[in-house]
Amino acid sequence: MEEIILCNICGCELREEEDIYEVEDEYFCRNCYDTHTFSCAGCEERFLYSNNYGDDTTCLCRDCYDEDYYHCHGCDCIIHREDTYWNNGEPYCYDCDSDYNGENYINEYSYKPSPRFYRCSDEKNVRYYGVELEIDEGGKDDDNAEILYNIANSGDDVMYIKYDGSLDEGMELVSHPCSLKYHKDCFHWKEVMQEAKNMYYRSHNTGTCGLHVHIGREQLGETYEQQEEVISRIMFFFESHWNELFRFSRRSEYALGRWASRYGYDEKPKNILEKAKKGHVDRYKCVNITNFDTIEIRIFKGTLRWNTFMATLELVDAVCENAMYLNDDEIRKQSWNDFVMGICSENRELIKYLKEKRLYVNEPFENEEEI
């Protein structure tokens, strides 16, 4: 005798297999399935509304809620951890936090103001670099953010601050696009880093922080085709000198695999770029090409040591210079030693750092402590 399955809600008979909807070991007709179950906004699995740990707008299973979401202490709405503001140990949404604190110095993760470009008055035809420096362990504290913001922006409005869900108790310091010389001579990075250390923030000595550098595409070539060629040679450089850059980065293999993985070596730079474009779009690559206006170098670990920070910017600038003025054949033949011996003597922080890491010449050099 054929087994008759009944809808758990209305009791109607479900005779055809395509009319049976099963959720959490219960059976439903189509109408009751639509009315009494939901698709989790996190994992997209189906659950009973009685097991909704979110709200009417953001329905969540218990596992996804516990892992990524909070109820706002002010209005009780559901907020993702990347958009959560903390006050006195309680989670708030952006609107309630604004009411609680007045002006917010830590913006939402999605915050992206119109870029402002800065260079020194004597500079022309520069490349612009935007920096994202993650700091952690000192608290997601708007008062701290206000102090760092005011130090950085005591002259020009060059830096803003964001929440980042990958950090435990920290924030992300983001610069507007600046020339390398401006970062060195005009940006108050030293003072910002020193004050962050005074507040017990850390960057290198964490398992969470990165230092990401954005490069403006427009400065890599006059035409789109020229820009693409330069980008392909930048990607080739990272693939062909991966071991040296791994040591430079201070990252672990696990961290690189998770946050800044490689594409894979090919002897033709253009093939690496084409492979990246044809593959799954993923920003967690050593050279992230998913942004429209910039490419992003993600390989470096965070730091609050000025020499390491500036050496990183000088390296990125040297790699760009290298990719712009060598052709594919020349960059293929270039060894690591060829590259470092061609670094401009003005890049003092880079040369010092390369010596510390035994990536320049094998001579004794006293290391400073990373923070």
Side-chain angles (χ1 to χ4, degrees), residues 206-209 242 246 249-262 284 298-299 301:
T206 70
T208 54
C209 293
W242 185 259
F246 169 66
S249 76
R250 297 165 290 111
R251 292 269 202 183
S252 66
E253 288 189 21
Y254 169 79
L256 282 181
R258 182 178 181 186
W259 303 111
S261 61
R262 61 191 302 183
Y284 297 114
R298 296 180 52 88
I299 194 173
K301 193 172 188 180

Side-chain angles (χ1 to χ4, degrees), residues 23-40:
V23 178
E24 296 192 67
D25 298 324
E26 295 188 18
Y27 298 103
F28 301 90
C29 66
R30 178 65 200 223
N31 184 58
C32 291
Y33 172 83
D34 291 339
T35 307
H36 294 276
T37 73
F38 68 90
S39 176
C40 174

Side-chain angles (χ1 to χ4, degrees), residues 15 47 54 56 96 161 175 236 243 263 270 313 332 364 370:
R15 293 185 176 275
F47 297 91
D56 292 338
C96 290
I161 302 174
S175 82
F236 176 85
N243 291 335
Y263 292 100
K270 292 182 181 65
L313 297 190
R332 243 192 330 264
E370 291 286 357

